[in-house]
Amino acid sequence: MDQLEAYVRGLYRKPQLRQLFLELTLQCNERCFHCGSSCTPQRPEDLLSLEEYKAILDQVKEDFDLGRLQLCITGGEPLLRPDFFEILGYAHELGYHWGMTSNATLITPEVAHRLAEVGMDTISVSIDGLPETHDMLRGTPGGYERAMRGIQALIDEKVFKAVQVTTVVNHENIGELDALFAIMDKLDIDSWRVINLEPIGRALQWPSRMLTEEDYLRLFSFIRDKRLQGYPVEYGCSHYLGPAWERELRSWYWMCNAGIYTASIMANGDIGACLDIERRPETIQGNIRQSRFKDVWDNRFELFRRDLCEGSSFCAGCEHAGHCRGDAHHSWDYDKNEPLLCFKKLLF
């Protein structure tokens, strides 16, 4: 972790773009209570057009090494965009490696085959509980069954590098972890990503669903135990877990990739870091309609290329500041200048 601390400080000076997120739409056919983007449809004239996306893809290919870059497609539900396959087919022709986040309810065997044809490498699909719980949390009757059919269609295609399932755990569905594991264990998926409900977006309207300290310890112990048994269960890149838990829940040490490895172009052309970060003037770095992406990447993002804990009274004097660096940008309170979630005293 000491070596990583020095490495991250080097990235502050010389960032390396490794993941570029394209938010194709904020339209969604589900209404998840935990949605970090609070997805709502936008006016058509606000959305980037097919030709604008092609120009962006041309531009990024010219300015960056595609061999070191992953294109990450998201929304909303990206498959709701009518020209989805035209955009990604063009990306495939240019040589991009790309993956997608989806609720999978629109993925039929035919759609899975088309995704293979336009070069999709990886996909992460959301399953947030057993059927009744999943449908309730995502506001979609029948959503669980459609999503599971979509996952099976992806598996049956037999060409994707990774089919992952992501589960967001909250106080109401944490009791279903063992039952969900039994289901995931029977699926031929490549990994199961189990993460906690974050205090952002729509989830702020449901304080009763936030995890308790007991819930967090139960969640982390569950992931650790499954990993020790050799199962591909992981926590993800959400938070700093302290020296006793780092590498227990995932295969890497903590770092927030926002603005040093990761950038995003939003559906309206705004340029930012991680798409889960609160959208406010200081976190928006420009707009692709007015600026070349590389110019913004090279000359902006100052907010993300320093330790969040610098100048924070909450973090002052913390002996873990060098490793934590203020934790994650997506869960930082920019008004109070402190983290919304900190595992100090709970885990370390």
Side-chain angles (χ1 to χ4, degrees), residues 33 137 168-174 197 209-211 215:
F33 89 94
L137 294 175
V168 178
V169 177
N170 66 77
H171 185 63
E172 293 184 6
N173 69 355
I174 192 168
L197 176 66
R209 290 178 177 167
M210 294 296 171
L211 293 177
D215 290 337

Side-chain angles (χ1 to χ4, degrees), residues 270-283:
D270 282 344
I271 299 170
C274 169
L275 285 168
D276 283 336
I277 296 170
E278 182 183 0
R279 301 178 189 193
R280 46 193 291 157
E282 65 265 45
T283 62

Side-chain angles (χ1 to χ4, degrees), residues 260-271:
I260 54 176
Y261 275 165
T262 299
S264 304
I265 299 175
M266 301 171 201
N268 65 353
D270 282 344
I271 299 170

Side-chain angles (χ1 to χ4, degrees), residues 74-104:
T74 187
E77 172 48 53
L79 286 169
L80 284 173
R81 182 157 177 132
D83 53 6
F84 173 92
F85 287 102
E86 293 175 88
I87 295 171
L88 275 307
Y90 188 72
H92 183 46
E93 291 174 11
L94 292 178
Y96 281 89
H97 301 282
W98 68 276
M100 179 170 68
T101 300
S102 172
N103 60 40

Side-chain angles (χ1 to χ4, degrees), residues 184-200:
M184 298 304 154
D185 191 32
K186 294 176 181 177
L187 288 174
D188 189 20
I189 57 174
D190 296 278
S191 63
W192 183 27
R193 180 171 170 260
V194 187
I195 58 178
N196 58 275
L197 176 66
E198 298 286 352
I200 60 175

